[in-house]
């Protein structure tokens, strides 16, 4: 009786592996966009309550600080949803005096995944989200330049196409890797990957420096903003005298070995 060798099902195995890979990218990708809830292990930084604002945030004690505690940012009814939101229109910052009434988390961070939602009430609304109280992701209605909406300020073009517009909630989902140092000198720049309203707009984008001078954030006054130090920093939100609201802010600390 002849023995028949069964051929290996190469095609089937290859197809199965392909399906598994496609499936993993589809089903295991972390959610992004407006309304995204904090994953397991994340820390909620603002849940809409005054209690959490006072517990986890304070004014940034920069060289231009003019505001005094308690924080004068107000808790208001969500204009386009349920619950409450935080209005960045601190009277101390009227006229665009950034650094005079900015708020920062009491806890500093290095690598992290961040989710933050913002709502611009009127055209021209201006604020900013600062990673490590250094690197600004711009919040500015009407500006499509490298100083405009969702730009890594002065480092990338504005991905304005992903903006939902005035009177609607928008979201930033950011994975941030802090700068790396050796013997006190920076050997790798900070970088980030970012989704704006669920659309990927920056991928492993290096960040060269702090922009805006000493009133902008940590190291802003060091060597024109290029003197980055090996110091963690908090998440900062900017007050510039505009009705820009925030809600659903959470962060998850990471330890990113590579990009």
């Amino acid at each position: 009786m002849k023995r028949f060798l069964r051929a290996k099902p190469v095609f089937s195995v290859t197809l199965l592996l392909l399906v598994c890979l496609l499936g993993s990218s589809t089903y295991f990708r972390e959610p992004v966009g407006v309304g995204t809830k904090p994953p397991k292990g994340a820390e909620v930084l603002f849940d809409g309550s005054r209690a959490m604002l006072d517990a986890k945030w304070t004014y940034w004690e920069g060289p231009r600080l003019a505001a005094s505690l308690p924080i004068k940012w107000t808790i208001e009814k969500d204009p386009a949803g349920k619950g409450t939101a935080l209005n960045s229109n601190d009277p101390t910052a009227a006229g665009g005096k950034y650094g005079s009434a900015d708020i920062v988390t009491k806890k500093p961070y290095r690598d992290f995944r961040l989710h933050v939602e913002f709502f611009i009430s009127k055209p021209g609304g201006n604020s900013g989200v600062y990673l490590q109280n250094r690197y600004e992701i711009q919040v500015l209605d009407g500006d499509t330049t490298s100083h405009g909406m969702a730009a890594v300020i002065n480092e990338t073009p504005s991905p304005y196409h992903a903006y939902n517009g005035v009177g609607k909630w928008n979201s930033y989902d950011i994975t941030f890797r802090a700068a790396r140092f050796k013997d006190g000198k920076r050997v790798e720049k900070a970088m980030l990957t970012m989704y704006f309203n669920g659309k990927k707009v920056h991928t492993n984008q290096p960040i060269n420096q702090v922009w805006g001078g000493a009133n902008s954030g940590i190291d802003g006054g060091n060597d024109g903003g290029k003197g980055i130090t090996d110091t963690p920093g908090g998440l900062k939100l900017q007050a510039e005298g505009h009705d820009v609201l925030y809600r659903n802010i959470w962060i998850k600390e990471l330890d990113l070995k590579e990009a």
Side-chain angles (χ1 to χ4, degrees):
M1 180 177 174
K2 290 185 178 180
R3 291 182 178 180
F4 294 94
L5 295 177
R6 182 177 296 175
K8 294 182 179 180
V10 177
F11 175 78
S12 299
V13 172
T14 304
L15 181 60
L16 180 60
L17 287 172
L18 181 60
V19 169
C20 289
L21 288 172
L22 290 174
S24 65
S25 64
T26 301
Y27 295 107
F28 293 95
R29 186 193 310 167
E30 293 188 15
V32 292
V34 174
T36 298
K37 296 180 180 180
K40 184 178 180 180
E43 176 189 3
V44 177
L45 296 177
F46 182 66
D47 63 357
S49 71
R50 180 77 211 190
M52 185 170 286
L53 174 66
D54 290 335
K56 297 195 174 186
W57 300 78
T58 189
Y59 283 120
W60 174 51
E61 296 182 358
R64 191 188 271 178
L65 177 65
S68 59
L69 294 171
I71 295 171
K72 305 303 187 297
W73 294 33
T74 55
I75 306 293
E76 301 180 0
K77 184 181 181 300
D78 189 329
K82 298 179 180 179
T84 52
L86 179 64
N87 192 336
S88 64
N89 194 355
D90 191 304
T92 307
K97 295 180 181 178
Y98 64 88
S100 64
D102 297 348
I103 64 171
V104 64
T105 58
K106 296 176 182 179
K107 181 179 178 179
Y109 301 94
R110 289 190 184 274
D111 301 352
F112 54 79
R113 160 131 192 244
L114 171 70
H115 177 87
V116 56
E117 297 180 15
F118 64 90
F119 179 101
I120 298 179
S121 301
K122 302 171 185 176
N126 193 357
S127 181
V129 174
Y130 283 73
L131 313 178
Q132 281 200 321
N133 194 1
R134 284 183 176 88
Y135 312 109
E136 182 181 9
I137 310 303
Q138 180 67 286
V139 175
L140 178 55
D141 175 73
D143 192 330
T144 62
T145 70
S146 62
H147 194 270
M149 180 64 72
V152 181
I153 197 163
N154 297 329
E155 306 243 3
T156 72
S158 163
Y160 206 85
H161 63 277
Y163 177 39
N164 286 337
V166 172
K168 296 180 180 179
W169 282 102
N170 294 268
S171 67
Y172 291 160
D173 285 280
I174 300 168
T175 299
F176 172 79
R177 184 176 185 268
R180 293 326 199 228
F181 296 81
K182 185 175 182 180
D183 298 327
K185 294 184 179 181
R186 184 175 63 170
V187 293
E188 293 182 58
K189 297 175 182 177
M191 67 168 57
L192 64 82
T193 291
M194 174 173 151
Y195 287 79
F196 183 18
N197 291 324
K199 299 175 182 177
K200 185 181 278 191
V201 293
H202 305 306
T203 303
N204 290 335
Q205 174 64 44
I207 311 175
N208 293 294
Q209 69 171 83
V210 177
W211 298 90
N215 296 323
S216 183
I218 297 173
D219 297 330
N222 293 343
D223 189 21
K226 296 180 175 65
I228 307 299
T229 56
D230 189 10
T231 308
L235 174 69
K236 187 174 73 176
L237 303 178
Q238 191 177 66
E240 289 213 47
H242 294 260
D243 290 316
V244 178
L245 282 66
Y246 289 94
R247 72 176 188 188
N248 192 19
I249 306 174
W250 53 261
I251 194 166
K252 184 175 181 179
E253 294 184 81
L254 304 172
D255 184 13
L256 300 173
K257 303 301 182 185
E258 299 178 351

